[in-house]
Amino acid sequence: MWVFAVCLTALLVKLGHWIYTQTNRKSCNGKLPPGSTGFPIIGETIEFFSPYSLHDIPPFVTKRMARYGSLFRTNFVGRNVVVSTDPEVNRFIFQQEGTSFQLSYTESFKEIFGQQSLVSCHGMVHKYLKNLILQLVGPENLKGKLMYEINEATRRHLRSWDRHGTVDIKEVTSEMIFQYFAKKLMSYDESKASRKLRENFKAFMDGLISFPLNIPGTAYHACLQGRKNATKVIKDILEERKKSTTPHQDFLNLILEEVRKEDKILNEAIAVDLIFLLLFATHETTSSAMTLLIKFISDHPEVLAELVKEHETILRSRDNDDGEITWQEYKSMTFTHMVINETVRLANIVPGIFRKALKDVEVKGYTIPAGWIVMVVPSVLHLSPTKYDDPLAFNPWRWKGKDLHAGSKTFMAFGGGVRLCVGADVAKLLMASFLHYLITKYRWTVTKGGDIIRKPGLVFPDGLYIKISEK
């Protein structure tokens, strides 16, 4: 029996080595960037997925930058990857969107978010879906109905937190945003639903950034099951809506109108993947940013004092200090936007931006072969002492006099190029509304927690609790 086991192991090792050499042949007409592809099959995946602390550049990247420079090659989850930490190379990559490069993720990531989701679409289809989303969160909606609804939802949830006294800020902000956007997207109310959609998103989140081994008992398998269950709920709602004659003022209604068109681009599979991705993107990333926002201003009382000054000035300018935030007031929150920018700079909630080379591309004396993935790493620039003075310090004043609503070569918190995050403006509005009502209507103190665990692609605030009470 043991002889059979040894022979089988040897056969698998040889097979693995053959697959590895076949899938990683460096058929390149030029000079590849320096680097290593690691072990057979797994490449350097395990080290890539290792957690690290809040203010660090990923050690995986730091180690290789020291050895190879600002452009290097690696391999994880079965794909050859060139990692760029060079601002000029990054800018070139974004400028060449659709000609030399296009958005691309690993197959495991596509499996998680859907093969027909927004992250997998290009060209006219991507532009079409982006325009659909802008009908939900575009500037005109932000100035009107969305602003009113976000203000109302924020105030309602703050009152609920006050009744609880002490809350886990990541949990309650995630719940608040999820409830709002689930209703906005498809009129979904968790309290009235028999199948709990948010519970499946929690299972999905637990394995989102994990080694892509799809067997029972692994985090990746649990993630895919969470996705399967969540999309089943979305599909059921879509089927019920198709049969309904009751009008709904939500995003799903708009989507179904598009699906019914004769010359349609959208089908039901794309629609389900789109809603799934929007639910994830809206509540998970923004709630993480809000949690870190609370941590940072709690640790820096001088920042909180300046915020209080700005928001109390807004209150004094009103006829009714209990009124809702207006668009003009929101745009006047200069220091608040400086705080938001500084928070997302340090947070690096999306530390990897991925593209695929559509052809052999020459850059900095090296060749990126067609089909290879390129990963831009914003955190290297966000935390660079050559780009930011004392980069690890939380200093909102560094943004004084700068454009607070645009990205740059050294600030890519919301992505870059034509793929700049379509939800950036609504995320900033959510954060500003949250800060305004928390600061002006409540007393609050951090009671415990606040450790931050980070993995490639996500921030995991570890139990930041605040005690909150109305003034």
Side-chain angles (χ1 to χ4, degrees):
M1 187 70 176
W2 65 270
V3 175
F4 174 78
V6 169
C7 292
L8 179 61
T9 301
L11 179 63
L12 289 174
V13 168
K14 287 187 177 182
L15 178 61
H17 180 70
W18 181 84
I19 294 171
Y20 179 78
T21 54
Q22 291 300 307
T23 57
N24 290 278
R25 286 179 300 177
K26 301 175 181 62
S27 53
C28 176
N29 295 323
K31 182 182 177 183
L32 284 170
S36 169
T37 50
F39 294 105
I41 306 298
I42 63 172
E44 299 182 314
T45 305
I46 294 174
E47 189 178 353
F48 176 76
F49 282 127
S50 299
Y52 54 100
S53 63
L54 170 63
H55 291 307
D56 284 345
I57 295 167
F60 176 88
V61 173
T62 305
K63 177 180 175 182
R64 285 156 181 78
M65 284 177 61
R67 184 172 181 181
Y68 303 121
S70 62
L71 196 70
F72 60 87
R73 75 176 188 271
T74 182
N75 181 287
F76 51 82
V77 292
R79 295 298 299 270
N80 286 313
V81 180
V82 171
V83 177
S84 171
T85 65
D86 185 305
E88 296 302 326
V89 174
N90 297 346
R91 184 182 183 187
F92 170 75
I93 290 167
F94 293 143
Q95 286 177 335
Q96 294 295 310
E97 179 80 32
T99 54
S100 298
F101 297 94
Q102 70 178 21
L103 182 76
S104 184
Y105 290 88
T106 63
E107 286 305 312
S108 60
F109 203 79
K110 291 177 184 177
E111 186 76 14
I112 288 171
F113 282 107
Q115 294 290 344
Q116 300 190 78
S117 72
L118 187 64
V119 299
S120 301
C121 295
H122 309 286
M124 290 302 297
V125 176
H126 172 259
K127 184 177 180 181
Y128 164 77
L129 293 178
K130 184 176 179 179
N131 287 335
L132 270 184
I133 297 168
L134 284 172
Q135 293 188 52
L136 175 70
V137 297
E140 292 307 312
N141 273 354
L142 285 181
K143 294 176 184 179
K145 191 174 183 181
L146 277 181
M147 167 156 276
Y148 170 79
E149 291 173 346
I150 286 170
N151 285 334
E152 192 277 330
T154 303
R155 299 182 76 172
R156 184 176 71 254
H157 280 268
L158 281 166
R159 288 192 294 269
S160 171
W161 305 348
D162 178 23
R163 291 192 293 271
H164 285 87
T166 300
V167 295
D168 180 333
I169 198 68
K170 173 63 169 66
E171 173 65 21
V172 294
T173 54
S174 178
E175 181 182 21
M176 174 180 73
I177 300 169
F178 183 89
Q179 284 186 11
Y180 173 72
F181 276 101
K183 183 176 181 180
K184 197 72 184 169
L185 287 168
M186 53 183 184
S187 301
Y188 174 83
D189 186 340
E190 184 95 342
S191 66
K192 298 177 182 177
S194 57
R195 298 182 65 182
K196 304 301 182 185
L197 182 56
R198 187 161 179 261
E199 290 178 5
N200 290 309
F201 266 93
K202 287 182 178 180
F204 168 79
M205 286 302 306
D206 288 342
L208 178 57
I209 303 299
S210 59
F211 191 86
L213 185 61
N214 186 17
I215 59 174
T218 64
Y220 184 70
H221 178 77
C223 176
L224 292 180
Q225 288 300 113
R227 169 188 159 74
K228 179 181 177 181
N229 294 334
T231 54
K232 177 65 167 62
V233 175
I234 296 170
K235 288 176 183 176
D236 288 347
I237 293 172
L238 186 146
E239 288 300 321
E240 290 170 7
R241 184 68 61 84
K242 284 163 59 179
K243 299 171 186 175
S244 174
T245 56
T246 305
H248 291 80
Q249 299 299 315
D250 58 18
F251 188 64
L252 182 57
N253 189 66
L254 171 64
I255 282 179
L256 284 174
E257 288 178 1
E258 294 294 313
V259 169
R260 293 183 184 116
K261 288 182 177 178
E262 288 186 10
D263 56 344
K264 64 184 178 183
I265 296 176
L266 195 65
N267 59 39
E268 291 183 13
I270 297 175
V272 169
D273 281 347
L274 180 61
I275 290 178
F276 178 84
L277 179 62
L278 289 175
L279 274 173
F280 162 76
T282 51
H283 88 278
E284 182 56 37
T285 56
T286 308
S287 61
S288 292
M290 285 181 173
T291 305
L292 294 174
L293 180 62
I294 292 297
K295 175 177 171 56
F296 290 145
I297 64 177
S298 298
D299 291 344
H300 298 84
E302 71 283 5
V303 174
L304 178 57
E306 189 68 21
L307 282 169
V308 169
K309 180 180 175 182
E310 178 168 87
H311 288 269
E312 287 187 344
T313 298
I314 290 172
L315 291 185
R316 287 195 296 271
S317 69
R318 293 177 184 166
D319 295 331
N320 175 14
D321 65 5
D322 194 42
E324 303 282 352
I325 301 170
T326 66
W327 183 253
Q328 291 72 26
E329 289 172 347
Y330 168 69
K331 297 300 287 185
S332 75
M333 296 175 183
T334 303
F335 188 71
T336 299
H337 285 288
M338 290 161 64
V339 170
I340 290 171
N341 274 14
E342 185 69 348
T343 296
V344 295
R345 179 188 73 85
L346 282 174
N348 291 304
I349 290 171
V350 184
I353 303 172
F354 294 86
R355 297 291 186 269
K356 181 174 74 173
L358 298 175
K359 57 186 179 182
D360 286 1
V361 180
E362 301 291 329
V363 59
K364 294 276 184 173
Y366 298 111
T367 297
I368 302 174
W372 280 41
I373 298 293
V374 179
M375 183 175 77
V376 171
V377 187
S379 60
V380 174
L381 303 173
H382 292 170
L383 304 178
S384 169
T386 64
K387 308 301 178 185
Y388 295 94
D389 293 334
D390 194 8
L392 298 183
F394 181 73
N395 176 20
W397 287 275
R398 73 171 79 245
W399 295 94
K400 188 173 183 180
K402 297 182 179 179
D403 188 341
L404 299 174
H405 303 285
S408 69
K409 288 188 293 184
T410 58
F411 183 62
M412 296 181 286
F414 295 100
V418 298
R419 291 281 186 164
L420 192 69
C421 176
V422 70
D425 289 334
V426 73
K428 293 176 184 177
L429 178 58
L430 282 161
M431 294 172 74
S433 175
F434 170 63
L435 268 182
H436 176 77
Y437 293 113
L438 179 66
I439 287 171
T440 60
K441 302 297 181 184
Y442 294 88
R443 299 182 184 89
W444 54 275
T445 55
V446 173
T447 60
K448 66 174 180 176
D451 292 336
I452 307 298
I453 303 168
R454 186 189 289 281
K455 291 184 180 181
L458 283 178
V459 175
F460 296 87
D462 184 23
L464 181 69
Y465 288 85
I466 66 169
K467 184 176 178 61
I468 180 172
S469 60
E470 192 170 2
K471 289 182 178 179

